Amino acid sequence: MLAVRAGVADGAPDPWAAAGSVASTEPERRSGRALGSPLSLLATKAADLDAAWVAVQAVMGEVDLAMSRFREDSELTRCNRRSPGSVAGVSRPLTRALTQADRAMRVTGGMFDPRVVAALEAVGYVGAAQTGPGPSIATARAAPGRVLHRDGRDGPISLPAPVDLGGIGKGLALRWAADAVVRGGFHAVAPGTGFLIDAGGDIVTVGVPSVGERWRIGIEDPRGGAEPLAVLELSGRAAVATSSIQRLRWDHKGVAAHHLIDPRTGEPGGDGLLAVTVAGPDPAWAEVWSKTLFLEGADGIAHAARRRGLAAWWATEDGRIEMTPAARVRTVWVAGEA
């Protein structure tokens, strides 16, 4: 999870002050909930903030109805229940999300694999029933094939196995919400204007909070500490996402479990890690890479992140915060280094 400081925040801990002033004026904010998480829109010079907030909420609602595994009436639930059968009339948002998930699986060599519904349910992370009349998928171990098949450009879609679009769905929602706000004319290219959308700690920014300033983001301590582990800065069109077991960790039949499933084993992965944060130009890909890197575990994450040139921060079970060189240049404060 991440905390946002874009200006002087009430009750801001010392690291924010130590890192320096961020913006001369506090941005306006609208807050609510979407996709099972808190949702906020922060903006500067926001004469039309209410219109922008309506656009953000509309996109989030559309994504929830299309992609939620926790809704009986979602399109994804309908498709999963028909797996491996075909479904006609699938909406453009869900089609785009499934296509993006398929591409992410191929780009990551199968480390990101959304075909983990059975594995999630096996460890107790159950939403609306996703099992249909097709054959049962016992585990999510990596297997050949694709996330989806489609009969022609506009034909029916079939899912060889049920999928979960939780993380990448939120990333796409942030991407599309930012696009909707820009299309609505909110963000002019004028200096010192911008907005930030925060969906449960996953963030997309456009522009800056004020002239010469940047958005300041704190990486929360997954062990529950009051101060952030590090503070980083974003500006322009940028994103940051975190894969963490801070809030989604439980005991299942006497065994510790969480929702980040390793497709190579069909079991919760990421040995030695509590959270991984990735910054980049796009929120959906930041989501993909944060989960992919988490599954490398504490022993493999540094090599995997540096090999791909990713800006990544990770918190280990023994309380350390580590980062790649690409992340270091974005970082303005680190716990223990002040």
Side-chain angles (χ1 to χ4, degrees), residues 3 13 16 29 44 71 136 146 175 190 209 214 219 222 263 289 302 333:
W16 303 103
R29 179 190 294 263
T44 53
R71 291 181 61 154
S136 174
R146 304 288 293 269
R175 179 200 293 176
R214 296 182 177 183
I219 299 176
W289 290 120
W333 185 91

Side-chain angles (χ1 to χ4, degrees), residues 18 59 85 93 98 101 127 142-143 156 165 183 191 211 213 226 235 296 303 308 313:
V59 171
L98 292 168
L165 294 174
R183 283 197 306 271
V211 176
E213 310 290 356
S235 63
E296 295 285 353
H303 173 73
R308 293 188 175 274
W313 300 254

